[in-house]
Amino acid sequence: MLKNSMWRQRRVVVPKRTIELIALMAISCTFFLFLHTRELHSRLRKMEVRLQPGEDEILSAKQLSSEGVQTESTPSGNDHYSSLLRVTEKYVEPDVLDIGALNNTKKAARLVLFFNRVPKVGSQTFMELLRRLSMRNGFSFNRDRVQRVETIRLAPIEQLQLARMVTSYSEPSVYVKHVCFTNFTKFNLPEPIYINVVRDPVERVISWYYYVRAPWYYVERKQIFPDLPLPDPNWLKKDFETCVLKGDRECRYVEGEIHEGIGDHRRQTLFFCGHSEKCTPFNTVGALERAKLAVEKHYAVVGVLEDINATLTVLENYVPRFFRGATQVYHDQTHAFTSINRNFFKPPVSEEVKEIVRRNFTREVEFYQFCKQRLYRQLRALKLTNADFTLNNRL
């Protein structure tokens, strides 16, 4: 009894309003925690959407298989892309790289090299290099004719015609054309050896901007197509920096925008993604993933303009039948190659303006970095295996 009496005396009486205040604070804290958790969840979902194709962009297993992209099925029945290097995964380079796994040359069913060249990546230089190597290494060199309007995306029947024409060339042969990646196996035709070159996408779009404004460009085209109308002088005089800073239609690079024709060469991924309509929207996840998959599965080598030495070394060792001696030929006549298609009318562009443009080229930049990393893995594998390694004399 005495102990209970003492406990009652020690109890602190809490006013009713204080209890209500504490309860209100508890409810408020719970509410704010709920809002914060929901915000974090929302941000996580946005990140997942950015890192993976959306419903309108994701490729079904049937689409991937029909376009020659390998899928694998899990026991649960879900499909995943075995050759895709996901952005979410941190790439850990093994101690020893498998040079065979990094080269698709061995997949080619015929000794025909298909260079579906991207514009403004030094492709004319590589085309001239191949022409000179054809005499040295004994293969046939073929290229498409100059067109009034360049057709990059082809209808299915045109893709078939192109694949049949390239397949008809006698071995060994090279064919060069500005065109999207064309999957020959889709038409039950033997796969050629695919190669290409990429360039920093912002530098490339600047190069294209001034290329189509160069006086000699229109002189050459006027000679070939006399009835071609001359462009507006004000358009010719407009510089890239003003175009970007004023937000002109030509220099607004809007994500998801579709723009066809000679005036739009902003989408480097298009030349690897393919002819599908899903490849046409600018700077989208779907086009990026398709382009990555095509490179991983089909291309023997994708060179990088900014690193000619690495590009030539990899080409020379991974596709030796066509590129044997490429480094020597290039460096023996460096001046002749570096002056090809050089535009002396292109003024410098400030880094500030380049950075403004770069913000809208996020996935194009990611694809460029992806191709560069792949090239360096191929180079590293080559050095680790044997400095003078060649895959096969036949290839």
Side-chain angles (χ1 to χ4, degrees), residues 3 11 74 96 129-130 153-154 157 167 169 209 245 248:
K3 190 179 290 187
R11 278 196 311 179
T74 61
V96 179
L129 177 63
L130 276 167
R153 288 180 61 236
L154 306 177
I157 185 63
T167 303
Y169 289 129
Y209 182 91
L245 295 174
D248 285 8

Side-chain angles (χ1 to χ4, degrees), residues 137-309:
N137 294 335
F139 58 83
S140 173
F141 175 83
N142 308 276
R143 59 158 298 179
D144 65 330
R145 60 184 177 81
V146 178
Q147 301 175 42
R148 184 186 179 98
V149 178
E150 199 83 60
T151 304
I152 297 169
R153 288 180 61 236
L154 306 177
I157 185 63
E158 294 170 320
Q159 295 175 48
L160 174 59
Q161 291 168 352
L162 173 64
R164 281 177 174 171
M165 182 188 71
V166 175
T167 303
S168 70
Y169 289 129
S170 59
E171 300 178 90
S173 291
V174 165
Y175 182 70
V176 185
K177 177 179 173 60
H178 285 312
V179 69
C180 295
F181 166 69
T182 305
N183 188 357
F184 286 37
T185 58
K186 179 180 177 181
F187 303 105
N188 296 318
L189 292 171
E191 181 158 312
I193 303 169
Y194 294 97
I195 67 158
N196 215 322
V197 182
V198 293
R199 180 182 186 178
D200 178 285
V202 175
E203 296 295 342
R204 178 177 168 270
V205 81
I206 294 170
S207 179
W208 174 259
Y209 182 91
Y210 285 111
Y211 173 71
V212 294
R213 286 169 167 80
W216 50 264
Y217 172 79
Y218 279 98
V219 170
E220 288 180 357
R221 290 186 63 79
K222 195 73 174 173
Q223 289 174 342
I224 301 170
F225 309 107
D227 61 332
L228 194 71
L230 291 173
D232 183 351
N234 292 324
W235 181 83
L236 287 172
K237 291 186 289 185
K238 182 172 57 176
D239 67 275
F240 184 76
E241 291 194 349
T242 301
C243 185
V244 171
L245 295 174
K246 286 190 173 182
D248 285 8
R249 172 68 181 81
E250 186 180 0
C251 300
R252 287 203 318 263
Y253 306 104
V254 181
E255 184 172 316
E257 190 174 53
I258 298 172
H259 183 61
E260 298 289 347
I262 194 169
D264 183 50
H265 275 283
R266 64 192 67 182
R267 298 162 300 173
Q268 189 165 227
T269 53
L270 182 63
F271 288 82
F272 300 87
C273 180
H275 303 272
S276 168
E277 288 186 3
K278 293 184 178 181
C279 298
T280 58
F282 171 67
N283 200 50
T284 58
V285 176
L288 167 68
E289 301 295 5
R290 281 174 174 263
K292 283 184 179 181
L293 286 166
V295 170
E296 285 284 87
K297 182 169 179 63
H298 295 282
Y299 281 82
V301 178
V302 176
V304 175
L305 178 64
E306 287 81 1
D307 198 336
I308 290 289
N309 288 333

Side-chain angles (χ1 to χ4, degrees), residues 312-323:
L312 292 177
T313 301
V314 172
L315 282 169
E316 208 171 334
N317 287 277
Y318 281 71
V319 198
R321 181 62 185 84
F322 295 93
F323 286 95

